[in-house]
Amino acid sequence: MATPKFIAPTTSFYSELKNRTNAYFEEIGASPTGNYKLWLKAAILMTSLVLLYVHLVFFTPNVWLALVECLLLGGVTAAIGFNVMHDGGHGSFSKKKWVNELAGLSLNMLGANIHMWTTKHNLIHHTYTNIDGVDDDLDAKPFLRLCDNQEHLKMHKYQHYYFWGAYAMLYLYWIFFTDYVKYFTQKVGDIPIKKMTKTDHLSFWGFKVMHFVLFVVVPIYTVGFLPWLAGFLLYGMFTGLVLSIVFQLAHTVEHTHFPMPTVATNRIEDEWALHQLKTTANFATNNKIVSWLTGGLNFQIEHHLFPRISHVHYPAISKIIKEACAEFGVVYNEYPKTRTAIMSHIAHLRQLALQPVLVQR
């Protein structure tokens, strides 16, 4: 599918959002990038990762404590992705480019690859959100049907029951399979990845080998194969489940849209900013614990409209965006609690389990 176009802005909505947001940062005299709160959080999370790893691998706790620590390690891994890597990958962790690049490399340390991720996420997902055939985040074939344009298989009749298992496999599938598919095809779906330099190739293989040694070879040597296998699967599956749930609650719920371009013109009948608001939802924005752990990704609307603003500022700018949406008559999708968003996601999957394929225009 060729990448579609958006119609030219017909209102001053997005310009007004940018003006008001810029005025906010001028008023408080702060940079839109991260601050001491983000740096402290990054230090806490990275230290937690190291301590949990060292205790599990070199001090071999009893089996029940080890299982708990594997779950904690998975949660911390996901939190580093949400808080450190994500802001770094978007260039919002710091005003300094090298600091952003270093934060982004935390993804490589955890087994994936920042070069592949920036094409998949920054370029494709953030531009063509929820457009089937382009947004790679919607591609869960054949296991899940995430929008009404996708093929309906018999197995999808039960997807709202078994999706937990599919989500749990995301992280392991990502680091051991899909990264390599992207590397060898040099594409995300049909869209070419930015040409890799020698440094990019060395980084890809160097970090993949490092991760394999640290998370496979060394633990097997210190604790044995079966204990490692049980712990690594628990760790990897919990990481995948947390990552999947947080990202799915942002886009695949009952009130988000899945627009397709008009066949004759290959054009989306919305300007880009309105498209983002129709395809995105927030959840649990008043829950400070959820906001802290998810790196503000529960403020997904703010993130999609202003991806180069650090998540530490989302609670403040969300008030600006809500106010502008009310003035311009634009719907602002938001779920008050995490559980209500999860229930909406399950209802969305259930609806798609029974719904026929939508005929394109």
Side-chain angles (χ1 to χ4, degrees):
M1 175 179 174
T3 53
K5 306 295 182 184
F6 296 91
I7 66 170
T10 56
T11 69
S12 58
F13 174 66
Y14 192 44
S15 297
E16 186 65 20
L17 282 182
K18 290 188 287 186
N19 290 339
R20 294 185 190 186
T21 302
N22 291 336
Y24 164 77
F25 285 108
E26 290 177 8
E27 181 182 341
I28 66 171
S31 167
T33 54
N35 54 25
Y36 75 94
K37 294 179 181 179
L38 178 55
W39 307 328
L40 177 61
K41 189 196 298 192
I44 292 171
L45 291 173
M46 297 302 290
T47 301
S48 299
L49 181 82
V50 172
L51 291 177
L52 284 166
Y53 174 86
V54 169
H55 192 249
L56 275 166
V57 174
F58 298 108
F59 291 89
T60 317
N62 68 69
V63 62
W64 295 111
L65 179 57
L67 293 175
V68 170
E69 289 188 358
C70 286
L71 288 173
L72 288 173
L73 187 65
V76 170
T77 296
I80 289 172
F82 296 146
N83 290 276
V84 182
M85 180 282 294
H86 193 252
D87 272 32
H90 279 290
S92 63
F93 190 92
S94 168
K95 290 184 285 187
K96 298 182 183 297
K97 183 180 178 182
W98 71 269
V99 177
N100 286 318
E101 291 176 348
L102 185 63
L105 279 176
S106 63
L107 183 63
N108 292 32
M109 178 191 72
L110 297 172
N113 183 263
I114 190 65
H115 186 86
M116 308 299 168
W117 184 85
T118 51
T119 298
K120 170 184 169 64
H121 185 80
N122 292 10
L123 175 62
I124 300 173
H125 172 67
H126 269 266
T127 305
Y128 307 106
T129 312
N130 276 16
I131 300 176
D132 183 42
V134 184
D135 185 358
D136 192 62
D137 284 7
L138 284 181
D139 186 5
K141 299 188 294 287
F143 307 107
L144 297 169
R145 183 178 187 235
L146 296 178
C147 71
D148 52 12
N149 238 28
Q150 294 177 344
E151 182 182 9
H152 188 287
L153 303 177
K154 289 183 179 180
M155 67 189 305
H156 296 152
K157 181 179 179 181
Y158 306 102
Q159 67 175 8
H160 49 294
Y161 298 116
Y162 68 71
F163 74 96
W164 301 100
Y167 289 171
M169 297 308 299
L170 169 75
Y171 175 64
L172 298 175
Y173 188 65
W174 179 4
I175 64 175
F176 290 124
F177 182 72
T178 59
D179 258 358
Y180 292 101
V181 171
K182 293 177 178 64
Y183 179 84
F184 287 111
T185 63
Q186 287 294 293
K187 290 181 178 181
V188 175
D190 293 326
I191 299 177
I193 292 171
K194 180 183 176 183
K195 186 176 180 180
M196 298 179 72
T197 64
K198 290 182 180 179
T199 301
D200 293 327
H201 287 287
L202 288 172
S203 178
F204 180 90
W205 289 108
F207 276 103
K208 286 291 187 184
V209 170
M210 183 192 78
H211 179 267
F212 187 79
V213 170
L214 288 176
F215 283 83
V216 179
V217 176
V218 173
I220 290 176
Y221 178 77
T222 58
V223 305
F225 178 77
L226 288 179
W228 161 79
L229 181 63
F232 185 73
L233 287 176
L234 184 63
Y235 154 72
M237 292 175 72
F238 188 65
T239 303
L241 184 62
V242 173
L243 289 171
S244 296
I245 289 296
V246 169
F247 283 116
Q248 294 292 38
L249 298 189
H251 300 292
T252 53
V253 286
E254 292 172 288
H255 297 93
T256 52
H257 293 203
F258 300 84
M260 291 296 289
T262 302
V263 173
T265 63
N266 196 34
R267 188 178 295 276
I268 298 292
E269 299 302 325
D270 267 316
E271 58 181 274
W272 177 83
L274 293 178
H275 174 84
Q276 296 304 317
L277 280 153
K278 288 182 178 181
T279 57
T280 307
N282 287 358
F283 67 93
T285 54
N286 291 322
N287 189 318
K288 293 184 178 180
I289 295 175
V290 170
S291 297
W292 196 92
L293 291 172
T294 63
L297 291 179
N298 53 330
F299 288 89
Q300 195 76 194
I301 290 172
E302 288 66 31
H303 173 59
H304 266 253
L305 290 172
F306 297 104
R308 293 187 67 84
I309 293 178
S310 173
H311 74 266
V312 296
H313 302 293
Y314 291 166
I317 68 170
S318 69
K319 298 173 184 176
I320 297 171
I321 294 172
K322 278 184 182 179
E323 186 178 274
C325 285
E327 291 178 19
F328 283 80
V330 176
V331 175
Y332 184 96
N333 294 313
E334 186 169 25
Y335 294 89
K337 298 181 182 298
T338 302
R339 66 173 178 270
T340 55
I342 291 175
M343 293 306 296
S344 182
H345 176 61
I346 294 172
H348 173 72
L349 291 178
R350 184 187 296 113
Q351 180 184 20
L352 290 170
L354 304 173
Q355 189 181 62
V357 178
L358 181 69
V359 178
Q360 292 188 31
R361 292 175 291 169

